[in-house]
Structures are given as structure tokens and as C-alpha cells.
Amino acid sequence: MKILFTGFEPFGKMDKNPSWELAEWVKQEKFPGADVRAEGLPVIFQTCAHKALDIIKSWNPDVVLHFGVAAGRQTINIEQTAVNIEHAPDTPDNAGDAPADRYIDSGGPDGIFATIPVRNLTENLQEAGIPAEVSYSAGTYICNSTLYRVLRFINDQELSVKAGFIHVPVTPDMASGSSLPSMDLEVQKRAVTQLIATLVKEEENRD
Ligand code: PCA
């Protein structure tokens, strides 16, 4: 199966982004049963989804797994939904855009559910001893916007590709000097491996 994996560049006050580091790691890693392509995306509202949409059109993946960091999350968060709002008055994106209550797509639905098996993936991580939860809000920043734009395109075009978003906590070095919860990058890598293995197994069971 073909999987598109994406991470984001650093943004705001962060000088690194674990999701970007995960994408760099995925590029060099082999995953049994999966052809995984990893890319970095910009933290810019207007263009965050462009590269992913281009690759969906040209490469035709079976699954798209977007990854991003969310400071304050304690566990791997598998996102259930994306909402049709961009709201970040205090956190301009990397192009200086700081929208307030802006629709992503004025003609689109209020919300769109992720199409990866959110519950199964979460339970599989938990069974593998990795802290994970289903999340019912991906926020109103770039991550939510990316998921919304990608799901909207897939639904619009009636494509069979599944898409979802996974938020990861900051790494311990990023949390030092604060009370932010953190998760080591090695544990995050194990989560990626486990998520991909679960998707491969689900596909084999379908065949
Ligand atoms: N996290 C941000 C954008 C990029 C990232 O890694 C978010 O949660 O929207």
C-alpha cells in the first residue's frame, strides 16, 4: 500500500518541530508492506495543503497521514475531525497571516471526519504500550486547516484515499524550563511504525 506521510516546519516560538523530524526519519526507514513517501509542509494557511494535494493527484496514495506538533498534548492524539474555521489572531503563520474566525471554505461543511480508522489506530497504539487518545479537536490552526482542505478535496473528487491527522506532544528538550508535557522522539517513532503496521494489517485483512 502507498502511504503519504507529512510533517510541518517549525512555527511560532518553536525552533524545531518533531513532526518534521519524524518525516526526515520516515524518508530513511523501511516499513514492511508499505511504500511510504514523506514530505514537509509549510506552516502557511494559504499553501499548507498544496503539496499534499499535488501528491494525492499524481501519486495516488491509499492513505495520507499528516503529523503535527501540539504543545500541551500529553499523548499521541489521533484526530477525529476537522472544522471549517481558521482562527489564530495571536499566532501568525510563517507568512504573517493571523486570521480571526475565517472560513476555510465558505461553501464547505462545518466539519469533516477523518477517514482513517481513528479508534482502531488509537487502541493499537495503546496495546503496544504507547500513550494515545482520540482527539475531537485538531484546533483552528494550520493542522486543522490542512486536514480540512485535504478531506474536502478527497470528498469532492470522490477519491478512495483515506486521510487523517496525528498530533504529537513536544519533545523533552522543547519542554525543558516549562511544565509542558512531552514525549521522546523515539516513542513517537515507535508510534509511527505501529500506525503504519496497523494500516498494512487492516488492508491485508480486507484482501
Ligand atoms: N502544529 C500546528 C501547525 C504545524 C504543527 O506542527 C497545528 O497544530 O496547527
Side-chain angles (χ1 to χ4, degrees):
M1 78 187 305
K2 292 201 284 189
I3 299 177
L4 171 61
F5 181 105
T6 74
F8 280 105
E9 62 187 4
F11 63 97
K13 294 193 187 77
M14 296 184 201
D15 58 359
K16 60 192 282 197
N17 188 328
S19 70
W20 184 274
E21 293 176 40
L22 288 172
E24 290 300 311
W25 170 76
V26 165
K27 283 181 189 168
Q28 298 163 33
E29 198 64 19
K30 294 264 176 292
F31 299 92
D35 178 5
V36 187
R37 176 166 171 183
E39 299 284 344
L41 301 182
V43 177
I44 297 177
F45 282 106
Q46 293 309 325
T47 56
C48 56
H50 284 185
K51 202 195 272 182
L53 294 176
D54 284 347
I55 295 171
I56 290 170
K57 287 182 228 166
S58 61
W59 192 55
N60 197 19
D62 299 293
V63 180
V64 180
L65 288 182
H66 296 295
F67 274 69
V69 66
R73 306 275 176 124
Q74 302 188 336
T75 62
I76 302 284
N77 277 195
I78 317 265
E79 301 294 346
Q80 171 68 51
T81 186
V83 293
N84 189 7
I85 286 284
E86 292 175 330
H87 184 74
D90 302 324
T91 315
D93 72 9
N94 287 352
D97 186 12
D101 288 329
R102 182 173 72 195
Y103 282 118
I104 297 169
D105 179 344
S106 58
D110 292 345
I112 312 180
F113 283 157
T115 45
I116 55 172
V118 170
R119 181 72 52 195
N120 267 0
L121 291 171
T122 307
E123 286 174 359
N124 270 285
L125 288 179
Q126 293 166 344
E127 279 158 24
I130 299 166
E133 287 162 292
V134 176
S135 161
Y136 297 98
S137 173
T140 55
Y141 197 49
I142 303 290
C143 294
N144 171 72
S145 196
T146 304
L147 182 60
Y148 187 92
R149 289 163 192 267
V150 166
L151 289 169
R152 175 96 170 108
F153 176 81
I154 290 170
N155 289 352
D156 218 44
Q157 302 291 312
E158 299 180 0
L159 303 178
S160 59
V161 52
K162 310 271 182 241
F165 201 102
I166 291 110
H167 265 124
V168 297
V170 298
T171 46
D173 52 316
M174 297 168 77
S176 102
S178 77
S179 55
L180 280 179
S182 65
M183 183 182 279
D184 202 272
L185 195 66
E186 292 309 311
V187 180
Q188 299 189 16
K189 288 178 186 171
R190 273 179 49 217
V192 172
T193 303
Q194 182 68 28
L195 287 168
I196 292 173
T198 305
L199 290 168
V200 169
K201 203 183 289 168
E202 287 222 341
E203 194 197 39
E204 283 168 3
N205 289 344
R206 259 199 312 275
D207 291 343

PDB file of all heavy atoms in Angstrom, residues 8 11 17 19 43 68-69 141-143 167, ligand 1:
ATOM      1  N   PHE A   8       5.389  19.047   9.568  1.00  0.00           N
ATOM      2  CA  PHE A   8       5.400  20.502   9.356  1.00  0.00           C
ATOM      3  C   PHE A   8       6.721  21.127   9.777  1.00  0.00           C
ATOM      4  O   PHE A   8       7.381  20.646  10.706  1.00  0.00           O
ATOM      5  CB  PHE A   8       4.282  21.170  10.158  1.00  0.00           C
ATOM      6  CG  PHE A   8       2.941  21.062   9.509  1.00  0.00           C
ATOM      7  CD1 PHE A   8       2.005  20.181   9.993  1.00  0.00           C
ATOM      8  CD2 PHE A   8       2.626  21.837   8.405  1.00  0.00           C
ATOM      9  CE1 PHE A   8       0.754  20.070   9.396  1.00  0.00           C
ATOM     10  CE2 PHE A   8       1.390  21.733   7.800  1.00  0.00           C
ATOM     11  CZ  PHE A   8       0.456  20.844   8.291  1.00  0.00           C
ATOM     12  N   PHE A  11       7.327  26.639  13.676  1.00  0.00           N
ATOM     13  CA  PHE A  11       6.485  27.842  13.581  1.00  0.00           C
ATOM     14  C   PHE A  11       6.436  28.516  14.947  1.00  0.00           C
ATOM     15  O   PHE A  11       6.810  27.922  15.966  1.00  0.00           O
ATOM     16  CB  PHE A  11       5.064  27.471  13.132  1.00  0.00           C
ATOM     17  CG  PHE A  11       4.346  26.585  14.109  1.00  0.00           C
ATOM     18  CD1 PHE A  11       3.459  27.119  15.041  1.00  0.00           C
ATOM     19  CD2 PHE A  11       4.593  25.221  14.127  1.00  0.00           C
ATOM     20  CE1 PHE A  11       2.810  26.293  15.968  1.00  0.00           C
ATOM     21  CE2 PHE A  11       3.959  24.396  15.050  1.00  0.00           C
ATOM     22  CZ  PHE A  11       3.067  24.923  15.954  1.00  0.00           C
ATOM     23  N   ASN A  17      10.375  21.169  15.046  1.00  0.00           N
ATOM     24  CA  ASN A  17       9.041  20.562  15.041  1.00  0.00           C
ATOM     25  C   ASN A  17       9.231  19.042  14.949  1.00  0.00           C
ATOM     26  O   ASN A  17       9.762  18.540  13.956  1.00  0.00           O
ATOM     27  CB  ASN A  17       8.238  21.083  13.840  1.00  0.00           C
ATOM     28  CG  ASN A  17       6.783  20.648  13.901  1.00  0.00           C
ATOM     29  OD1 ASN A  17       6.456  19.586  14.412  1.00  0.00           O
ATOM     30  ND2 ASN A  17       5.911  21.488  13.363  1.00  0.00           N
ATOM     31  N   SER A  19       7.310  16.758  14.232  1.00  0.00           N
ATOM     32  CA  SER A  19       6.655  16.132  13.072  1.00  0.00           C
ATOM     33  C   SER A  19       7.556  16.219  11.837  1.00  0.00           C
ATOM     34  O   SER A  19       7.554  15.331  10.986  1.00  0.00           O
ATOM     35  CB  SER A  19       5.294  16.779  12.800  1.00  0.00           C
ATOM     36  OG  SER A  19       5.428  18.092  12.308  1.00  0.00           O
ATOM     37  N   VAL A  43       4.010  25.967   7.216  1.00  0.00           N
ATOM     38  CA  VAL A  43       3.011  26.430   8.181  1.00  0.00           C
ATOM     39  C   VAL A  43       2.460  27.766   7.675  1.00  0.00           C
ATOM     40  O   VAL A  43       2.758  28.844   8.200  1.00  0.00           O
ATOM     41  CB  VAL A  43       3.623  26.516   9.597  1.00  0.00           C
ATOM     42  CG1 VAL A  43       2.613  27.060  10.605  1.00  0.00           C
ATOM     43  CG2 VAL A  43       4.068  25.126  10.049  1.00  0.00           C
ATOM     44  N   GLY A  68       1.588  16.643  13.045  1.00  0.00           N
ATOM     45  CA  GLY A  68       1.943  17.984  13.504  1.00  0.00           C
ATOM     46  C   GLY A  68       2.156  17.947  15.004  1.00  0.00           C
ATOM     47  O   GLY A  68       1.724  16.999  15.671  1.00  0.00           O
ATOM     48  N   VAL A  69       2.814  18.977  15.528  1.00  0.00           N
ATOM     49  CA  VAL A  69       3.037  19.037  16.969  1.00  0.00           C
ATOM     50  C   VAL A  69       1.932  19.882  17.599  1.00  0.00           C
ATOM     51  O   VAL A  69       1.416  20.811  16.969  1.00  0.00           O
ATOM     52  CB  VAL A  69       4.430  19.632  17.286  1.00  0.00           C
ATOM     53  CG1 VAL A  69       4.528  21.102  16.874  1.00  0.00           C
ATOM     54  CG2 VAL A  69       4.784  19.464  18.756  1.00  0.00           C
ATOM     55  N   TYR A 141      -5.806  25.976  13.791  1.00  0.00           N
ATOM     56  CA  TYR A 141      -4.581  26.496  13.161  1.00  0.00           C
ATOM     57  C   TYR A 141      -4.300  25.701  11.881  1.00  0.00           C
ATOM     58  O   TYR A 141      -5.201  25.137  11.257  1.00  0.00           O
ATOM     59  CB  TYR A 141      -3.451  26.433  14.206  1.00  0.00           C
ATOM     60  CG  TYR A 141      -2.248  27.280  13.903  1.00  0.00           C
ATOM     61  CD1 TYR A 141      -2.370  28.620  13.529  1.00  0.00           C
ATOM     62  CD2 TYR A 141      -0.962  26.738  14.004  1.00  0.00           C
ATOM     63  CE1 TYR A 141      -1.232  29.380  13.261  1.00  0.00           C
ATOM     64  CE2 TYR A 141       0.174  27.504  13.753  1.00  0.00           C
ATOM     65  CZ  TYR A 141       0.026  28.826  13.376  1.00  0.00           C
ATOM     66  OH  TYR A 141       1.144  29.580  13.111  1.00  0.00           O
ATOM     67  N   ILE A 142      -3.034  25.615  11.515  1.00  0.00           N
ATOM     68  CA  ILE A 142      -2.643  25.034  10.233  1.00  0.00           C
ATOM     69  C   ILE A 142      -2.973  23.542  10.131  1.00  0.00           C
ATOM     70  O   ILE A 142      -3.334  23.044   9.064  1.00  0.00           O
ATOM     71  CB  ILE A 142      -1.129  25.236  10.014  1.00  0.00           C
ATOM     72  CG1 ILE A 142      -0.770  26.721  10.082  1.00  0.00           C
ATOM     73  CG2 ILE A 142      -0.663  24.591   8.720  1.00  0.00           C
ATOM     74  CD1 ILE A 142      -1.248  27.555   8.941  1.00  0.00           C
ATOM     75  N   CYS A 143      -2.838  22.823  11.236  1.00  0.00           N
ATOM     76  CA  CYS A 143      -3.062  21.371  11.189  1.00  0.00           C
ATOM     77  C   CYS A 143      -4.509  21.080  10.837  1.00  0.00           C
ATOM     78  O   CYS A 143      -4.802  20.261   9.956  1.00  0.00           O
ATOM     79  CB  CYS A 143      -2.668  20.736  12.520  1.00  0.00           C
ATOM     80  SG  CYS A 143      -0.898  20.869  12.834  1.00  0.00           S
ATOM     81  N   HIS A 167      -1.621  14.414  16.011  1.00  0.00           N
ATOM     82  CA  HIS A 167      -0.865  15.418  16.758  1.00  0.00           C
ATOM     83  C   HIS A 167       0.055  14.718  17.756  1.00  0.00           C
ATOM     84  O   HIS A 167      -0.368  13.785  18.445  1.00  0.00           O
ATOM     85  CB  HIS A 167      -1.818  16.342  17.538  1.00  0.00           C
ATOM     86  CG  HIS A 167      -2.152  17.602  16.806  1.00  0.00           C
ATOM     87  ND1 HIS A 167      -3.433  17.993  16.522  1.00  0.00           N
ATOM     88  CD2 HIS A 167      -1.343  18.578  16.287  1.00  0.00           C
ATOM     89  CE1 HIS A 167      -3.408  19.154  15.874  1.00  0.00           C
ATOM     90  NE2 HIS A 167      -2.151  19.530  15.713  1.00  0.00           N
TER      91      HIS A 167
HETATM   92  N1  PCA B   1       1.314  22.142  14.526  1.00  0.00           N
HETATM   93  C1  PCA B   1       0.448  23.261  14.221  1.00  0.00           C
HETATM   94  C2  PCA B   1       0.789  23.669  12.820  1.00  0.00           C
HETATM   95  C3  PCA B   1       2.045  22.935  12.473  1.00  0.00           C
HETATM   96  C4  PCA B   1       2.240  21.980  13.554  1.00  0.00           C
HETATM   97  O1  PCA B   1       3.118  21.115  13.607  1.00  0.00           O
HETATM   98  C5  PCA B   1      -1.026  22.964  14.467  1.00  0.00           C
HETATM   99  O2  PCA B   1      -1.337  22.165  15.356  1.00  0.00           O
HETATM  100  O3  PCA B   1      -1.881  23.538  13.794  1.00  0.00           O
END
